[in-house]
Amino acid sequence: MPSDATSTVAPVEPSSFELMKQKYLLCYNAMSCGAWAYVTYKVAVNGYANHKENYEDIGEYLLVTQSFAVLEILHALVGLVRSPVLTTSLQVASRLIMVWLVCDAFPAVTSQIAYSTMAIAWGITEIIRYAYYCMNMVNMDNDYFWFVTFCRYHFFYILYPVGAYSEYLLIQAAHEIAKKDPAQEQLATALNIFTWIWPPGFFVMYTHMQGQRRKFILSGKLDEKEAREGAAAEKKEN
């Protein structure tokens, strides 16, 4: 016979490892957001008039900041996050190629406006991404979170093409310099190969983000948000 008593299930306490993981990822995402905010700020302050000074101002800082992103491949490999290892590795590897094999090896190319547009596209993308991760981890559910969520699933339509095209221009410029130096023949060959693989690589990353956006829309979270807002508005009216 069914009982009229209401049964309650005690909430499951997260393990100590889970708590440590959450704290680590929250710190990592918050620090990364701050680091990219600094990059974006410096480029924005210099503007177009002083864009040739950006490499001197942020070149080394950008190299170190982006190099730390190798940790994200490790995070995916060991299961700290659910990000796919392949797409994470592809994105991080492409960025490392840019900061080490292109910009650091051929600083002359950084005087081009493409360096600044690349840095600003990377910066805005990462500010949004890491802010979204942080807010999601603390279960934030307010207008700020939904604004960042909107930015995450819409701004990439512009930021990804701008960043990828800027990278492509810098690779081409570096290749032109390298091919004139016999001592850099192998690097020139590698850069030439990069100019061919960059467009399909961009296509993979772009369609991946489109898939993420589609998955988010189909998850029903937007419908839940609208339902909560509707219920709140109705309650307020009553």
Side-chain angles (χ1 to χ4, degrees):
M1 178 182 293
S3 171
D4 291 333
T6 303
S7 62
T8 58
V9 179
V12 178
E13 291 292 330
S15 65
S16 57
F17 171 76
E18 187 67 23
L19 288 173
M20 286 179 60
K21 184 184 84 169
Q22 292 297 317
K23 289 178 181 179
Y24 164 73
L25 289 175
L26 185 60
C27 289
Y28 174 82
N29 290 327
M31 291 175 65
S32 297
C33 185
W36 283 105
Y38 175 77
V39 169
T40 306
Y41 167 76
K42 292 294 289 184
V43 176
V45 167
N46 282 341
Y48 177 78
N50 299 313
H51 73 270
K52 293 183 179 181
E53 299 177 8
N54 281 329
Y55 183 70
E56 183 179 346
D57 289 347
I58 65 163
E60 187 173 340
Y61 183 85
L62 179 59
L63 185 148
V64 173
T65 299
Q66 185 54 60
S67 295
F68 267 106
V70 171
L71 289 172
E72 299 192 11
I73 301 176
L74 182 62
H75 295 165
L77 277 171
V78 301
L80 284 181
V81 296
R82 290 180 293 177
S83 302
V85 177
L86 180 60
T87 51
T88 302
S89 300
L90 179 62
Q91 183 171 31
V92 173
S94 66
R95 295 273 190 91
L96 292 178
I97 287 170
M98 292 307 305
V99 295
W100 285 101
L101 295 184
V102 177
C103 299
D104 188 61
F106 302 95
V109 306
T110 62
S111 62
Q112 296 187 16
I113 189 63
Y115 179 77
S116 300
T117 53
M118 178 189 74
I120 204 86
W122 287 6
I124 296 174
T125 298
E126 300 299 41
I127 291 170
I128 294 170
R129 183 166 71 95
Y130 289 118
Y132 174 81
Y133 289 160
C134 288
M135 291 177 172
N136 211 26
M137 291 184 71
V138 298
N139 297 316
M140 187 176 288
D141 184 17
N142 55 26
D143 290 341
Y144 296 110
F145 171 72
W146 288 105
F147 173 72
V148 171
T149 301
F150 173 86
C151 294
R152 173 166 170 73
Y153 292 110
H154 290 82
F155 280 23
F156 77 92
Y157 280 117
I158 296 174
L159 295 173
Y160 273 39
V162 169
Y165 185 57
S166 300
E167 294 163 13
Y168 184 79
L169 292 178
L170 292 173
I171 293 171
Q172 280 192 321
H175 175 250
E176 289 299 316
I177 297 173
K179 73 179 185 180
K180 295 175 183 177
D181 186 355
Q184 296 182 321
E185 182 179 354
Q186 292 182 336
L187 185 51
T189 301
L191 291 168
N192 188 41
I193 293 173
F194 293 152
T195 63
W196 286 97
I197 66 175
W198 229 250
F202 162 71
F203 177 78
V204 170
M205 294 305 304
Y206 196 67
T207 53
H208 168 72
M209 198 59 203
Q210 286 179 317
Q212 293 293 101
R213 180 178 184 273
R214 186 162 48 250
K215 187 185 299 183
F216 174 77
I217 292 173
L218 293 176
S219 70
K221 291 182 180 179
L222 289 176
D223 294 334
E224 292 174 6
K225 171 181 178 290
E226 291 175 359
R228 287 196 303 271
E229 290 177 346
E234 186 178 346
K235 184 177 180 181
K236 189 175 181 180
E237 289 176 0
N238 295 334

